[in-house]
Each structure stands twice: as C-alpha cells, then as structure tokens.
Amino acid sequence: MLRAHTVEDVRRAEQAAMARLPDGALMQRAAAGLAAAVVDLLGGAYGRRVLLLVGPGDNGGDALWAGARLAARGASVEALLLAERTHADGLAALRRAGGRAARDLADLHPSPDVVLDGILGIGGRPGLRDDAARAVERLAGVPVVAVDVPSGLGVDTGEVDGPHVRADLTVTFGTHKVAHLVDPSATACGALHLVDLGLDLGPAAVEALQPADVRDLLPRPGPDAQKYSRGVVGVRAGSATYPGAALLAVAGANTGLVGMVRYVGASSVADRVRVAHPEVVGDGRVQAWVVGPGGGDDAAGMLAEALADDVPVVVDADALRHVDAPLPGAVLTPHAGELAAMTDAERADVEARPLAHVREAARRWGCVVLLKGHHTLVADPDGRVRATTTGVPWLATAGAGDVLAGLVGALLAAGLTPYDAASVGSWLHGAAATEAAAGGPLTASRVAVQIPQVVRDTLAELG
C-alpha cells in the first residue's frame, strides 16, 4: 500500500527519529537519496550543470547538501538563494565542494541541465513569492526535480492557489505526502521517488492500492464454488434514449468476477443486452445492484426498486439526482459536475478541492463516494480515502463511467466491502484502460474487454 501522510504526521515522526539519531543524520540521508535520483535522471553527474533554487527551510538545506554531493562527483552546481536566511551548513558544504551561489539568476549559467526545487518545504503555504515565481518562469523548459513536494502546493490538501512549481520528478522523504496523490496538485508532481528515512509513521491520511494489495483483495472462487455462491449482480440501467449505457454497465459487470449477471430494463434494451451478452439473465435475487447509467426519466424508479431489495447499491449517473437521504452500504460514483449538483457546490470548486468535497460527501450521504477524475478518490464515511493512480488521459471517454459502475457492482456482489469494491474497481478500471490504450486512443468497450486480462495478470505476476 502506498501511504501518504500529513505534515503533522511527518514532523512528529521526524522529531522522534532525530531524538535517537546523530545530529543532521536525517538531512544527510535525504540529500544522499536526492543526489542519487538526480544522477539517475541525468545519466551521470560529471560535466552536468545543476541549478539549485534554495529557500529558507530544510528543503533548501536538502538541496544544498545534495548539490555538494553532485559537485563532488564532477557536476557544475550553482545555487540561486531566494531568501535572506539560508541553511548555513549546507551552503558552506556546497562551496567547499566547488559550487557557487548567487542571489540573482543573471549571475548564474543560463542553461542548466536540471533544476532542483528547494524553494519551500512541506510547511510552506500554497503559492510562490513574486521573486521565486519569476525565477521558475524564466527556467521554463528545463527539467525540474522537486525536493519533497513541488513548491507552492497545498501539501495536506492537494489544492493549488497561485503560482507553483511543476516538476518532472519529485523526490520525497520518509513517506509520500497528500499532495502527491490528490488532484490538482498531483499533476504537478511528475514521477514520484521515495527515499526511505526509517520513520515510524502512524495511519495514513490517503492511501493508494498497489498490485499486491489488489491481488489480496480480488475475489477468487474456491474449489466448491457455484454460480450463486460467487455472487449475483443486477444491473438496472439504460433507456430507449441511451441503450448503450446499459450495454456498457453490463459489460463492466460481466467480466467473470461474479457467478451471474442479471439485467432489468426496457424490453427493447434487454433484447440488445441478451444479444451482446447471452449469459446475462433477467430479474431475480441479487447480492448487489448497479443503478443509473443511461436511466434518464426512469432512474428514480430504478433506484427505488433497487433499494427495496436491501442489498448494496452502486448509484451512478442519472440515479445520483435522486439521492435525497443517507444510503448506508451504497457506493455513489459521481464525476465533479454530478457531485457539484448533489451538494449545491460549484463544479470549479469541486475540481479545485476534490479531497475536501469527497470527504464531506461521504459524511453527508453516510456511504462510500467515488469521485471520478485524473486521480479518482474513494472516501469512506469514517474519513479514510484512497486515490487511484492507474489510468491514462485517454480514459476520459464516453461510457467509461458506465463500465466502472458495473465493475464495482460485481465486486460488491462478490463480497467486497463498499470501500474495497470501489477502490479495487477503480484500480482495475484504470489498469485495463492503460493496457487497452497502449499509448493511443481508447473506447469504453475496450476497457471492459481488457478487465479479465488485467485480473489474470495481477494474480499471475504476484501469486
């Protein structure tokens, strides 16, 4: 499990570590890991030009000590000092190793090979001061390695307010931070590299499933399994106007993770579903329902009928408009616009503060809420949050959410908790999209077709 902690968590763990380690040991570990990551990025150190953007905090000290290590290996290292107060020992080490420092960018080499962003530490506020923002703007186009977190981001919130650094690589220390996993800040972090400092950390603020976690959670039939014991999922979706939504939701549900899929809808749509998926049957007992994709004016009735069965329900698309009371045991799957409509918020604010909004929605509706996005967030009413880091931009395509709803419903019917079903479903959905796209365009139907192969690969590679 990839775990991301808050600033307070990290500081508490660092203080405990510093009490048992020699003075400066944590910074030296961080600097060594940072320097090694820069060498890997550049393919070597000798002859490379490295520019450090140095602020007043410990991240500036990390950058200076890493710069000293790079200079000792033959790199040409310069530091732009962006604060009156600078980490004195780190600056002295850089100069001893042959590096130089200045307070004006014009006094330094104009074409570095890489920039190390040590402007602000994890305690910094969102945004950059004007002088730092100008320096970052003037260096546009140069690869950037962020020290711990790109400067200017909301570290505990993932929010962005004002100018900030966009990194190609973020080298973080001890643990991942919330900003690494939560949009919109996650898009500014680039690739992530964790340097282990041996910190003793408690529960994480945000988690991200890894392949081994998914493998452990995936439902697998036992030797005595039969179709009913493996779970039955029902789908109430589609309409004469949107029959394709039913086909896609059924495709997401009918990926082999349960023993049976039932479809209930208009006869004209049901006929098309049976042609595309002959193994799908009609109404009957289920362990979970998927409701809403393409439901149109029928969505309210679909939701009421599904809730009457008193089983877990995935509520998607048109059915979300009819959620007017807490739904314990349900999974709501809105995108930002749908969540905004449900909570009387502005869509732009949901997109700017997705973590805050998804947590509040989970508390308000008393159930798991899956907020779709670049990094989909799954929130439980108890405050837990998981971020999905699989997927590609090509996944932003019509019908992809219908497939996801069906997949999550199947996992619910197979026995996963709502939180795990939503998290695993989102991970599989993103992984299937990545494989199906293969670097190019993608349609929702191809995502559904790819899901069984992703499941097989996950089980085989880690089994």
Side-chain angles (χ1 to χ4, degrees):
M1 189 82 70
L2 190 156
R3 294 176 171 84
H5 290 81
T6 65
V7 172
E8 182 180 354
D9 292 336
V10 173
R11 285 179 168 166
R12 186 165 47 244
E14 287 179 342
Q15 288 171 358
M18 287 188 289
R20 65 177 187 272
L21 292 172
D23 187 37
L26 281 185
M27 183 168 285
Q28 290 305 317
R29 290 180 186 177
L34 176 59
V38 172
V39 171
D40 286 344
L41 178 68
L42 295 175
Y46 188 81
R48 308 306 200 275
R49 293 191 175 276
V50 180
L51 174 61
L52 317 177
L53 301 182
V54 180
D58 284 346
N59 279 27
D62 295 332
L64 288 165
W65 278 108
R69 288 173 176 269
L70 293 168
R73 296 183 59 173
S76 173
V77 183
E78 297 180 320
L80 177 63
L81 307 182
L82 292 165
E84 290 300 320
R85 180 172 58 87
T86 303
H87 194 280
D89 290 344
L91 182 57
L94 175 66
R95 285 173 167 154
R96 285 196 303 271
R100 56 188 297 265
R103 296 189 178 276
D104 190 328
L105 193 57
D107 295 330
L108 302 175
H109 193 280
S111 302
D113 296 310
V114 68
V115 170
L116 269 63
D117 161 34
I119 302 171
L120 296 175
I122 59 174
R125 296 179 180 178
L128 294 174
R129 291 188 341 188
D130 289 345
D131 57 342
R134 285 193 299 270
V136 170
E137 184 177 359
R138 288 175 62 184
L139 292 163
V142 181
V144 176
V145 176
V147 180
D148 217 0
V149 175
S151 295
L153 303 182
V155 179
D156 281 350
T157 64
E159 297 168 18
V160 174
D161 184 12
H164 58 86
V165 171
R166 297 188 68 90
D168 298 276
L169 170 67
T170 295
V171 180
T172 191
F173 311 121
T175 180
H176 291 86
K177 315 306 185 292
V178 175
H180 297 146
L181 299 183
V182 174
D183 289 330
S185 65
T187 60
C189 293
L192 297 174
H193 175 73
L194 175 65
V195 176
D196 185 9
L197 300 182
L199 301 182
D200 185 12
L201 292 150
V206 178
E207 297 177 333
L209 295 180
Q210 301 300 289
D213 306 309
V214 175
R215 184 271 315 271
D216 291 342
L217 289 168
L218 277 170
R220 279 162 278 187
D224 58 347
Q226 41 94 356
K227 61 186 177 184
Y228 295 108
S229 67
R230 291 189 58 208
V232 180
V233 61
V235 178
R236 294 179 182 270
S239 61
T241 306
Y242 302 108
L247 292 167
L248 290 167
V250 169
N254 190 35
T255 54
L257 291 169
V258 290
M260 182 183 291
V261 179
R262 298 184 183 275
Y263 175 75
V264 178
S267 58
S268 60
V269 180
D271 289 342
R272 296 181 63 173
V273 168
R274 280 191 289 269
V275 170
H277 304 279
E279 57 274 276
V280 173
V281 299
D283 200 1
R285 294 184 61 183
V286 300
Q287 280 72 56
W289 279 106
V290 177
V291 179
D297 295 337
D298 298 330
M302 291 176 174
L303 180 59
E305 290 170 352
L307 292 175
D309 279 352
D310 197 27
V311 297
V313 180
V314 177
V315 185
D316 186 48
D318 293 326
L320 291 167
R321 295 185 283 109
H322 304 287
V323 176
D324 55 9
L327 292 177
V331 177
L332 312 184
T333 58
H335 56 57
E338 290 165 336
L339 186 59
M342 294 176 71
T343 58
D344 296 319
E346 295 293 329
R347 176 171 186 150
D349 194 57
V350 175
E351 293 173 337
R353 302 190 305 119
L355 181 60
H357 281 278
V358 76
R359 278 182 167 151
E360 175 55 32
R363 286 192 292 267
R364 176 174 177 175
W365 303 115
C367 64
V368 169
V369 177
L370 183 158
L371 177 57
K372 291 175 280 196
H374 166 248
H375 277 192
T376 289
L377 298 179
V378 176
D380 190 272
D382 66 10
R384 291 177 295 162
V385 177
R386 284 178 179 157
T388 301
T389 56
T390 58
V392 289
W394 294 108
L395 186 52
T397 186
D402 304 332
V403 173
L404 175 60
L407 175 58
V408 173
L411 291 165
L412 268 178
L416 270 63
T417 68
Y419 188 57
D420 286 340
S423 305
V424 172
S426 181
W427 190 96
L428 291 173
H429 188 250
T434 302
E435 289 192 7
L442 182 67
T443 60
S445 298
R446 290 176 57 202
V447 176
V449 170
Q450 194 66 32
I451 290 169
Q453 184 62 53
V454 169
V455 172
R456 283 192 292 270
D457 291 345
T458 303
L459 295 174
E461 291 175 11
L462 298 165

